[in-house]
Amino acid sequence: MQLNKHFALIIITAIVAGLVLSLYLVYMTYALSTNNYSDSRFMTGSSWRFCPMGVGSKGLTDDIQRLNITQVKARLESYVQSLGQNYAVSEIMEFSNNFYAIIIEKDTGNGAFEVLVDTYSGVITPEPGPNMMWNIRYGMHSRGMMGFPAQVNDMPISEEEAKRIALNYLSQRLQGNIEVMEPTRFYGYYTIDYMVDGRIHGMLSVNGFSGDVWYHSWHGEFIQEIEMNGNE
C-alpha cells in the first residue's frame, strides 16, 4: 500500500511539472511573438534571420523620453574609448526600434563589429545575427573556428559580388527602384545598406565565404543617420 502511494505521488508530481513546463513554453512563445520585429516580406526563402527580444520601447512607461541621436553618439564615443585606441564609430543610424552603429578598426579600416543602442535606456548591446554568428574575429566563432580563416582578405566573395547578391535578393522581395550602397567589410561578411525609391530602407549582410544572405529585420523604420566624417 505504501509503495502504491509513493508511486501515485511520483505520477502526480510529474503531471504538475509537465503542466508548469507547458505554461512556461506558452508564455515564451507569446513573448517571442510580441517582440518579433521581422518583416513578413522576408519570412520566405533560405536566408538567415534573427530577431532580438527587448529591443525598442515595449514595456516602458509613457514618461520616459526617447534618446536623440546626439545623445546616442556621445554614449557610443564613450563606449569605444573604453575599448582602446584602435576603435572608432563610423556610422550611426536611427530606426524606430533601435539605434544601430558600426565600430571600425582604425589601423585597418575594416568593420570590427555592429552594435544596437536601446532607444530609451541607452544600453549598448552586440547586434544579433551575422555580427554574432559570422564575425570570425569578434563574434561567437572567432579566430578561425568552423573552418573559416581569421583574415578579412581571405573572403572569396568580393565587395562587388556581395552587392550583386544583395541586389538579387532584394529584387525578388521588394518593389520599386532598389539601390544597394557600398558594403562595409567585416571579418567574414559584408553589411550593406540599401535604398528604395531614393530613400534608405534597411540593410542586409552577405557572408563572404558562402554568399548566404541575412536580412536585418529587427530595426523598424529608418529615421536618420550620422556618418562620423561630419556628414549627416
Side-chain angles (χ1 to χ4, degrees), residues 59-105:
L60 296 172
T61 57
D62 294 337
D63 59 346
I64 297 179
Q65 293 287 321
R66 180 185 173 100
L67 297 175
N68 61 53
I69 198 166
T70 302
Q71 292 171 314
V72 170
K73 178 176 178 288
R75 285 175 177 264
L76 287 166
E77 288 175 336
S78 176
Y79 167 69
V80 296
Q81 287 177 5
S82 71
L83 301 176
Q85 297 183 350
N86 193 38
Y87 299 96
V89 182
S90 69
E91 178 183 82
I92 304 171
M93 303 178 76
E94 181 179 1
F95 293 91
S96 57
N97 292 338
N98 49 54
F99 291 89
Y100 162 89
I102 294 175
I103 312 300
I104 64 168
E105 297 174 337

Side-chain angles (χ1 to χ4, degrees), residues 123-162:
V123 171
I124 300 171
T125 57
E127 186 180 39
N131 177 65
M132 290 185 176
M133 303 304 297
W134 288 351
N135 194 320
I136 58 179
R137 184 165 187 178
Y138 296 93
M140 296 174 63
H141 306 297
S142 61
R143 290 298 179 187
M145 291 181 66
M146 297 183 70
F148 292 149
Q151 296 296 325
V152 68
N153 293 330
D154 293 330
M155 295 191 297
I157 294 177
S158 67
E159 292 185 7
E160 287 302 314
E161 179 67 7

Side-chain angles (χ1 to χ4, degrees), residues 104-123:
I104 64 168
E105 297 174 337
K106 291 181 179 179
D107 57 351
T108 65
N110 293 327
F113 49 90
E114 303 162 281
V115 298
L116 299 179
V117 183
D118 187 89
T119 54
Y120 290 86
S121 69
V123 171

Side-chain angles (χ1 to χ4, degrees), residues 39-58:
D39 189 326
S40 61
R41 292 172 295 185
F42 296 94
M43 295 304 290
T44 59
S46 60
S47 301
W48 300 72
R49 282 166 298 275
F50 181 82
C51 297
M53 293 178 60
V55 179
S57 59
K58 296 192 176 189

Side-chain angles (χ1 to χ4, degrees), residues 7-36:
F7 182 74
L9 181 61
I10 292 175
I11 295 298
I12 293 171
T13 302
I15 292 173
V16 172
L19 289 173
V20 171
L21 179 60
S22 298
L23 290 173
Y24 173 77
L25 291 175
V26 169
Y27 169 78
M28 290 303 297
T29 300
Y30 172 77
L32 284 169
S33 64
T34 56
N35 286 278
N36 189 330

